Amino acid sequence: MQNPLPRVAAIHDLSGYGRCSLTVIIPILSTMGFEVCPLPTAVLSTHTGIEGFKIFDLTEQLPGFINHWKAQNLRFEAIYSGFLGSVEQADIVSGFIRDFAGPETLVVVDPVMADFGQLYASMPPAMIGEMRKLCAQAKVITPNITEAAFMLGREVPQSLSESEVKEWLLALADMGPTMPVITSLPLASKMDRSAVAAYNGEDKRFWLAGRPLLPTQYHGTGDIFSSVLTGSLLQGDSLPIALDRACHFVATAMQITFGYSGLDHHEILLERSLNALTAPVTYASFELLA
Ligand code: PXL
């Protein structure tokens, strides 16, 4: 019998504290109706933004885990990768995509490695070229503006016009993915809003979505965004609706968290927010980037 729950192979780290990667991806995609099969790239005490974090890299274990999955003949409706524990893991993930993805598999690569103009604490510069290669195998990629700039060998921009955003998306599409998305865009016309933009190479249309900015930052919002985007596309939504749902959920989860005072490490209160994922889509505030 066919599995009634579409399955997602989630290739990310497990950070014990600090909501990000698998600790947000699993609850979000489960709530959206998918069976998540985690393939952990590393186990960390906390995400790399908290000083003194400990990391255990699982590069040596991954081939054995993958071979066991192959022996079980596992099939996935989506493959979604993110934070890698070592540069060598890029080749392993690349082989995983080659072996497990069929023509119908949704392959999403989030090239998690940097933000605010800087590589994360555990990331060697060689990761940039490896992520670039991995993105070539994906249908959807979700870099933030820093990761997009690093992969394109450009300066991280202070602001971009709408026509520059389109050019950046086309440059990312030239790397191979059909649907490049850029998050945390410093869009000159919308500096008071979070902005994300996407290009769909299937119909050659560009899309823009976003929400008003709050005067705060939370860790893991990129992982939350990409998980909801992945779940929404798997549910059959169009690219702009998926973008809009992902922006809406990130903004809602941030607002829910922001209302509390005295939270220690700026972590999203995800469990207070998950219900919003099961609500029907009653809004649509995306724009066509003409
Ligand atoms: O949210 C991205 C992310 C994922 N995993 C780890 C991280 C970060 C960002 O800092 O440190 C371990």
Side-chain angles (χ1 to χ4, degrees):
M1 193 181 114
Q2 269 231 316
N3 188 349
L5 287 180
R7 229 185 246 142
V8 181
I11 312 174
H12 303 258
D13 69 281
L14 179 67
S15 286
Y17 176 76
R19 301 315 293 272
C20 70
S21 39
L22 286 175
T23 60
V24 301
I25 291 161
I26 296 172
I28 287 174
L29 287 170
S30 291
T31 305
M32 294 180 86
F34 303 104
E35 176 189 344
V36 183
C37 300
L39 187 60
T41 55
V43 178
L44 291 91
S45 53
T46 69
H47 59 62
T48 59
I50 298 182
E51 216 182 296
F53 69 88
K54 300 285 178 258
I55 179 165
F56 184 76
D57 159 29
L58 289 166
T59 306
E60 283 185 21
Q61 284 69 32
L62 282 186
F65 281 33
I66 294 169
N67 286 337
H68 189 222
W69 280 8
K70 276 190 197 154
Q72 309 313 307
N73 218 7
L74 290 186
R75 291 279 167 267
F76 300 99
E77 276 68 27
I79 299 171
Y80 165 31
S81 78
F83 179 100
L84 302 183
S86 71
V87 167
E88 294 72 36
Q89 286 185 2
D91 272 345
I92 299 176
V93 176
S94 172
F96 184 91
I97 295 171
R98 266 197 310 276
D99 291 345
F100 284 89
E104 299 301 318
T105 313
L106 176 67
V107 178
V108 179
V109 171
D110 187 2
V112 174
M113 59 185 162
D115 208 354
F116 302 109
Q118 285 196 323
L119 285 168
Y120 292 137
S122 67
M123 286 293 157
M127 192 64 96
I128 297 169
E130 294 304 308
M131 283 296 192
R132 202 186 143 89
K133 281 194 269 172
L134 206 50
C135 284
Q137 281 175 270
K139 176 165 186 189
V140 179
I141 63 168
T142 56
N144 60 38
I145 186 66
T146 300
E147 290 155 349
F150 285 1
M151 289 195 293
L152 294 172
R154 298 179 178 187
E155 292 286 313
V156 181
Q158 293 301 310
S159 86
L160 288 173
S161 68
E162 294 192 358
S163 63
E164 284 171 325
V165 168
K166 286 165 71 174
E167 190 277 323
W168 276 64
L169 288 166
L170 287 177
L172 289 174
D174 277 347
M175 287 168 28
T178 318
M179 296 179 183
V181 178
I182 308 178
T183 64
S184 306
L185 270 176
L187 194 61
S189 56
K190 295 197 165 48
M191 283 306 219
D192 56 338
R193 291 171 74 79
S194 69
V196 304
Y199 173 65
N200 185 350
E202 285 167 2
D203 60 12
K204 315 250 179 295
R205 290 193 288 179
F206 297 87
W207 302 103
L208 191 62
R211 291 292 181 276
L213 276 177
L214 284 178
T216 187
Q217 308 275 347
Y218 293 105
H219 236 91
T221 48
D223 299 323
I224 294 174
F225 174 87
S226 301
S227 310
V228 179
L229 184 81
T230 301
S232 180
L233 289 171
L234 272 177
Q235 286 178 349
D237 288 329
S238 66
L239 179 60
I241 287 285
L243 278 187
D244 207 48
R245 284 183 74 187
C247 286
H248 183 73
F249 184 73
V250 170
T252 302
M254 285 179 72
Q255 279 172 319
I256 286 170
T257 309
F258 189 58
Y260 290 90
S261 50
L263 298 178
D264 43 0
H265 277 111
H266 279 241
E267 312 309 331
I268 287 277
L269 298 180
L270 189 71
E271 286 69 19
R272 290 251 160 211
S273 319
L274 285 171
N275 279 345
L277 288 170
T278 52
V281 182
T282 53
Y283 49 82
S285 65
F286 59 81
E287 291 171 47
L288 182 70
L289 251 183

